[in-house]
Amino acid sequence: MTASTTTGSPPRDLRDFYENPAVPVASGTPRSLRQARMLARALGGPAGAGPRTIIDIGCGDGTAAATAAPLLPGHRVIGVDWSQDALRRARTRIPYAVRGELTGGGLPFASGSADAVLFSEVVEHLVDPDAALDEIRRILRPGGHLMLSTPNLAAWYNRGLLLAGVQPVFSEVSLRGIHGRPGSEVVGHLRLYTARALKEFVAASGFTVVGLEGAPFHGVPRPLRPLDRLACARPQLASILLLHARRT
């Protein structure tokens, strides 16, 4: 979930920022595929034992859910987002997409009704990630799967940038422009995690961490992409963290 530099009047708050139709709401395909494969393994393949309910929270334009669907045959994938513009686009790609929030009224699902939750590139945008994981835990059945992905503060190139006194990639100091870091997109990130911090945070929220994998970042310059793919072998250095946890 990334956001480009906005034009016109500045956003009044984060809601205005993400409701802006000019803000991209799709993530990279490599991350979506890796995450979908992790979930397919966790569910045991196609829906031979009956369809499972998978909720994609922060589905954006539905690209990630549509990418994952062929790897999850027979299961029902429901997209959720707070942006009406994103939902209009998502409904052209996936059968089910509903409006919902992780704060306020909560998600429009009964407690224990979900078998799995996809939570992709969302947690870094939240003011209150603790309440978000509480709500995800509520809708998951006991033993249900959480597939969370987020940018890695300690990605291989960010380590070098910090040593040089440069603001890390993925971090942000303004919703209006880029300051002190490489890149051309305003991302609206409020929080960033290392592998260790992410695992501790999720475990403290009532989940058992099953595994952690790495994924490449589509924004890495083309000459450096082979190195970025190699870094995925060590999630602590990868661009994107893919975490699998189960509700306790």
Side-chain angles (χ1 to χ4, degrees):
M1 186 176 184
T2 58
S4 65
T5 304
T6 55
T7 58
S9 59
R12 293 188 299 274
D13 54 32
L14 282 172
R15 183 180 296 275
D16 288 339
F17 183 74
Y18 293 119
E19 287 284 7
N20 182 352
V23 171
V25 287
S27 298
T29 298
R31 190 272 302 155
S32 299
L33 283 172
R34 288 177 184 235
Q35 191 175 47
R37 291 188 187 109
M38 290 173 68
L39 180 54
R41 291 195 301 268
L43 294 177
R52 309 286 182 87
T53 297
I54 302 162
I55 299 176
D56 183 4
I57 298 175
C59 67
D61 66 0
T63 299
T67 299
L71 300 177
L72 302 167
H75 300 302
R76 182 172 66 157
V77 180
I78 303 172
V80 181
D81 209 287
W82 77 5
S83 168
Q84 295 286 14
D85 179 74
L87 287 172
R88 281 193 292 272
R89 287 182 273 171
R91 288 170 183 143
T92 68
R93 294 182 171 93
I94 54 179
Y96 309 102
V98 299
R99 195 172 192 277
E101 300 187 25
L102 284 161
T103 58
L107 296 169
F109 304 102
S111 298
S113 60
D115 297 290
V117 164
L118 293 172
F119 198 44
S120 306
E121 267 75 4
V122 177
V123 69
E124 64 271 15
H125 297 266
L126 300 179
V127 173
D128 190 351
D130 302 279
L133 284 202
D134 287 346
E135 181 64 0
I136 289 172
R137 190 173 185 276
R138 180 189 70 80
I139 68 169
L140 275 172
R141 63 168 176 79
H145 304 277
L146 168 63
M147 297 291 176
L148 185 157
S149 68
T150 191
N152 183 8
L153 174 61
W156 60 276
Y157 40 81
N158 278 345
R159 298 180 184 222
L161 290 173
L162 278 170
L163 285 174
V166 178
Q167 186 83 7
V169 176
F170 308 124
S171 67
E172 202 49 75
V173 300
S174 171
L175 292 181
R176 301 181 185 180
I178 300 300
H179 302 288
R181 70 161 174 83
S184 59
E185 291 183 326
V186 175
V187 295
H189 289 174
L190 303 180
R191 303 180 184 278
L192 288 175
Y193 300 81
T194 64
R196 178 176 176 177
L198 184 64
K199 289 191 288 186
E200 289 185 4
F201 167 60
V202 171
S205 300
F207 294 84
T208 298
V209 175
V210 177
L212 185 74
E213 297 185 17
F217 174 48
H218 62 275
V220 169
R222 189 174 297 276
L224 297 177
R225 289 179 186 175
L227 184 57
D228 194 41
R229 289 192 294 270
L230 284 174
C232 293
R234 293 193 64 189
Q236 297 86 349
L237 299 176
S239 288
I240 306 295
L241 300 171
L242 303 177
L243 182 138
H244 173 204
R246 300 194 74 169
R247 180 189 183 275
T248 54

